[in-house]
Amino acid sequence: MYCDCSFVENLFNEIKFQTESGIHTARLKDGFIELDFPINLATPLSPVEQADIQPLLEVCTAIAGADSIVAVRLSQELRYLLVHLSDGVDLANLEVDPNRLLAAGPQTINLNGVILTVRGGPSHGTESGSSYDFCTRFFSPWRAIPEDPVCGSAHTVLAPYWTEVLGKAVNRGECGSFRNAKSTA
């Protein structure tokens, strides 16, 4: 969903959007647009899920390099696979073929998307240096979206994950796609 609108001299302080997951509100706050997204937790895979997702993880390893996967989690609510890649991976410059992801997709898990993510920093796919806690790219070939350049729903999974990993409540993220969006969770 996309909305091209402006908050003009406080005439519009709040806008409501009807989405697949319900109504979400956008508010103007301190010069930024604040969105009220839900939190979607991602949990470690069960042995059965791990076996089902293994071909897809092998594609991720082929794309990012040997020993590049730090952690794998699954959001049951959204059916997003979160793949945390090692600090040495240049996420923004990875050549990801969504068709390879699609072909390696799981047989029993009805997957909607794959979130590739790395810790933020100048050598880890972010242009802005260490002011960003994480960088991410989102792919959803199962829903006919090769790469979503700014996937808000992916950040509902990323925010709680990186909060746990980094041990802090506020996370700044950067989408490493061609639109290079920023978010604060």
Side-chain angles (χ1 to χ4, degrees), residues 30-158:
D30 301 326
F32 293 93
I33 297 174
E34 178 182 82
L35 302 169
D36 71 338
F37 289 142
I39 291 175
N40 289 295
L41 299 177
T43 56
L45 301 173
S46 71
V48 171
E49 291 168 332
Q50 179 71 35
D52 191 32
I53 218 80
Q54 192 57 41
L56 185 56
L57 295 178
E58 290 170 7
V59 169
C60 291
T61 298
I63 292 167
D67 300 320
S68 59
I69 297 178
V70 173
V72 178
R73 302 285 187 272
L74 180 64
S75 166
Q76 298 289 343
E77 179 74 24
L78 297 175
R79 296 187 317 268
Y80 289 174
L81 186 71
L82 183 152
V83 181
H84 177 174
L85 301 173
S86 63
D87 291 350
V89 173
D90 182 4
L91 183 61
N93 292 311
L94 283 184
E95 293 185 25
V96 179
D97 179 357
N99 291 320
R100 284 184 71 193
L101 298 176
L102 185 60
Q107 300 301 308
T108 59
I109 298 171
N110 186 14
L111 202 60
N112 280 330
V114 173
I115 304 167
L116 299 180
T117 187
V118 296
R119 185 182 309 265
S123 64
H124 311 309
T126 63
E127 293 178 6
S128 307
S130 61
S131 65
Y132 291 92
D133 296 313
F134 62 89
C135 182
T136 184
R137 290 177 65 188
F138 180 79
F139 303 89
S140 186
W142 300 273
R143 299 193 70 186
I145 303 168
E147 181 171 4
D148 188 337
V150 184
C151 185
S153 61
H155 283 82
T156 70
V157 177
L158 288 158

